[in-house]
Amino acid sequence: AIYRKAVQQISSWHSAGLSLSASINFSINTFMLDKLPDFLQDIAQEYAVSSHNIIVEITETQIMKKAASCLEVFMRLHLKKFKLSIDDFGTDTSSMP
């Protein structure tokens, strides 16, 4: 529901002449779903929003625990031209240099 609302908002911005993107934070559990890339792309197409305007974000601490099991989904999202972001804001730690 949140993803759909975010994509709908991007579409509204574009209709108003604003070229804006949105970053949407997802739980690591979402990346365990094989159909996630197709689902995200279908919603984007429904609202005529390019995947270039959607940033799929996940918290760094979550990804470091399950990175290997999510790698295929990450690659499929990348191939569909979604932007990916790893967020460590507010965690007060970083496992990446």
Side-chain angles (χ1 to χ4, degrees), residues 28-45:
I28 190 70
N29 296 329
T30 307
F31 289 92
M32 306 303 262
L33 304 171
D34 289 336
K35 296 183 181 194
L36 178 67
D38 293 330
F39 171 78
L40 297 182
Q41 187 173 41
D42 289 347
I43 300 296
Q45 288 176 344

Side-chain angles (χ1 to χ4, degrees), residues 45-62:
Q45 288 176 344
E46 180 181 333
Y47 290 96
V49 171
S50 170
S51 56
H52 291 290
N53 295 108
I54 301 168
I55 304 161
V56 176
E57 185 175 290
I58 188 162
T59 304
E60 177 187 357
T61 52
Q62 292 179 330

Side-chain angles (χ1 to χ4, degrees), residues 28 31 58 63 67 70-78 84:
I28 190 70
F31 289 92
I58 188 162
I63 196 172
C70 299
L71 191 56
E72 181 182 338
V73 172
F74 292 143
M75 292 303 297
R76 289 180 47 223
L77 285 167
H78 177 72
L84 301 173

Side-chain angles (χ1 to χ4, degrees), residues 62-96:
Q62 292 179 330
I63 196 172
M64 297 316 269
K65 294 176 185 174
K66 297 184 180 181
S69 59
C70 299
L71 191 56
E72 181 182 338
V73 172
F74 292 143
M75 292 303 297
R76 289 180 47 223
L77 285 167
H78 177 72
L79 290 171
K80 291 181 181 290
K81 308 295 184 205
F82 285 92
K83 294 178 183 176
L84 301 173
S85 173
I86 299 174
D87 173 31
D88 67 353
F89 181 77
T91 61
D92 203 29
T93 60
S94 179
S95 59
M96 294 183 178

